[in-house]
Amino acid sequence: MANALDKAKSRFEGILKEQLDRIERMKSEEDWIDYRQVDTIAIGILGGDGIGPFITEHAAKVLEFLLEDELKSGRVAFHVIDGLTIENRAEKNQSVPDDVLEEIKTQHILLKGPTTTPRKGDPWPNIESCNVSLRRYLDLFANIRPVKVPKEGIDWVFFRENTEGAYVLGSSGINVTEDLAIDFTVTTSQGTDRIVRLAFDYAKKNGINRVTAVTKANVVKTTDGKFLSIAQQIASEYPDIEFDDWYIDIMTAKLVDKKRRTQFKVMILPNLYGDILTDEAAEFQGGVGTAGSANIGKRYAMFEAIHGSAPRMVDEGRAQYADPSSMIRAGAMLLRHIGAENRARRLEMALDICGSLERKISITGRSTGANGNEYVGYLMDTMKDGELENRWKSYQETT
Ligand code: IPM
Ligand code: MG
């Protein structure tokens, strides 16, 4: 027993040291990258696995079309990066193999398809999720997830903390004895400060007058307590923005409450709650297949779907029917991130028309619906000059 305790203590000490080092790195963090100072914006395309390569290819095709001028002039360059497949990660026994990470780090921005997250009992080694690793390795601290259902008055943007909480040490728990398992959750002042400020700045810039923090600070007193009290402090620096806070349990209920949910606008949450609530939120919009996600850090940014790799669709031979909307929405966020605001907006309008307002063809995930290729064709046709504005206007008039 003494031996088990000593071992656990020394593991814990290692974890504490790592986190203290991380705090020092955050304190001396560089400023935000300014793409105006960069000659060529390098965009890495990572297909991932499962349905990932299918839907990523569609999104890349749409971006290629919209960034044609920049690709020609060399202002933007795409690089396909292989090696994030579960087979390769399993073979190297690394969540992101060293050589793949090295290649990734030569890019500014990533468009990344879903990747399989192993779990106990899988044929793969139980390695860390490569999403979680990449978010940590590239310090992509803000996971920004918009969800919009215009007909229902829903217009939410979630700011999920992406490098701390229960996630960052999710693969570092300790089996102290055969009977005792301990996991850890982490909140730092620096890590909370940067996500909360980003959310408030976003609200301010976009004329949004309400920010809501979601925690369980009444029970998880130390880490969630810290997150909430920092949010409260920062809120006082933004007197024009109304701030409130909710607990995660009642918040999941309130999202289903049609009268209350439209009041929420910008939400800030620790990692795990952000993971859960954004899947629920996406369901109102048409499911996780329709939601894109931006992982933003000061140096790197990664755009992806909010869902997983759906290996079952591949096993059943249905991968070509997977909905690429999530990845294409992530692509729209990528466009906005590099300053192509207009094109981002046009793409989002086309997605709204094709995916909800018009739905001339629809995706069902099976041969009963359109395949990804047909859907992208429909989307591209909708984006033609003149066409988009007319169709958009007609829907605004009828709804
Ligand atoms: C997400 C996903 C990931 C997460 C998985 C695939 C590890 O659910 O991006 O929300 O839990 O963060
Ligand atoms: Mg999730």
Side-chain angles (χ1 to χ4, degrees), residues 17-33:
K17 282 186 177 150
E18 254 172 47
Q19 291 304 312
L20 288 168
D21 284 349
R22 198 171 68 83
I23 289 177
E24 290 312 311
R25 286 200 302 277
M26 280 192 277
K27 282 187 191 163
S28 58
E29 214 166 52
E30 289 166 33
D31 210 356
W32 290 90
I33 187 168

Side-chain angles (χ1 to χ4, degrees), residues 40-255:
T40 300
I41 302 176
I43 301 179
I45 314 272
L46 296 117
D49 47 36
I51 59 169
F54 293 83
I55 59 177
T56 307
E57 201 191 315
H58 293 312
K61 202 167 126 192
V62 172
L63 287 184
E64 226 170 76
F65 168 70
L66 291 171
L67 289 171
E68 197 184 340
D69 292 346
E70 286 82 356
L71 285 165
K72 262 193 202 137
S73 72
R75 172 69 182 130
V76 167
F78 286 176
H79 304 266
V80 174
I81 301 177
D82 294 320
L84 263 199
T85 57
I86 186 65
E87 289 80 8
N88 193 38
R89 287 181 282 137
E91 191 194 310
K92 307 269 166 63
N93 203 23
Q94 283 185 305
S95 57
V96 183
D98 288 337
D99 55 332
V100 181
L101 184 61
E102 221 169 278
E103 216 179 328
I104 283 173
K105 285 191 166 170
T106 63
Q107 307 295 302
H108 297 106
I109 292 173
L110 308 172
L111 180 71
K112 178 194 149 293
T115 42
T116 301
T117 302
R119 65 171 189 181
K120 200 171 166 192
D122 279 356
W124 322 108
N126 194 9
I127 46 178
E128 186 177 53
S129 143
C130 87
N131 284 38
V132 177
S133 306
L134 276 175
R135 291 165 186 167
R136 194 174 66 243
Y137 293 155
L138 306 177
D139 204 23
L140 306 171
F141 66 88
N143 193 329
I144 306 174
R145 302 184 155 182
V147 168
K148 238 182 167 171
V149 189
K151 282 187 221 159
E152 305 259 340
I154 292 175
D155 193 354
W156 299 323
V157 185
F158 296 88
F159 282 75
R160 164 186 176 189
E161 202 294 320
N162 218 15
T163 49
E164 305 196 343
Y167 266 66
V168 68
L169 298 173
S171 295
S172 304
I174 304 174
N175 283 306
V176 181
T177 66
E178 225 177 82
D179 300 319
L180 176 63
I182 294 274
D183 264 311
F184 303 99
T185 183
V186 184
T187 299
T188 69
S189 306
Q190 290 73 14
T192 308
D193 187 280
R194 60 187 186 174
I195 184 78
V196 173
R197 278 187 198 285
L198 197 70
F200 272 97
D201 287 343
Y202 173 88
K204 191 171 169 184
K205 209 173 123 201
N206 291 281
I208 298 168
N209 60 3
R210 184 166 183 184
V211 171
T212 303
V214 184
T215 67
K216 189 75 192 183
N218 54 339
V219 172
V220 186
K221 294 187 189 290
T222 310
T223 45
D224 280 9
K226 187 178 195 55
F227 192 94
L228 178 58
S229 72
I230 291 177
Q232 285 163 335
Q233 268 167 40
I234 294 175
S236 68
E237 296 174 28
Y238 295 80
D240 297 335
I241 298 175
E242 197 188 315
F243 172 77
D244 59 351
D245 85 276
W246 291 70
Y247 297 132
I248 181 65
D249 49 351
I250 188 67
M251 192 64 181
T252 54
K254 285 300 146 198
L255 287 199

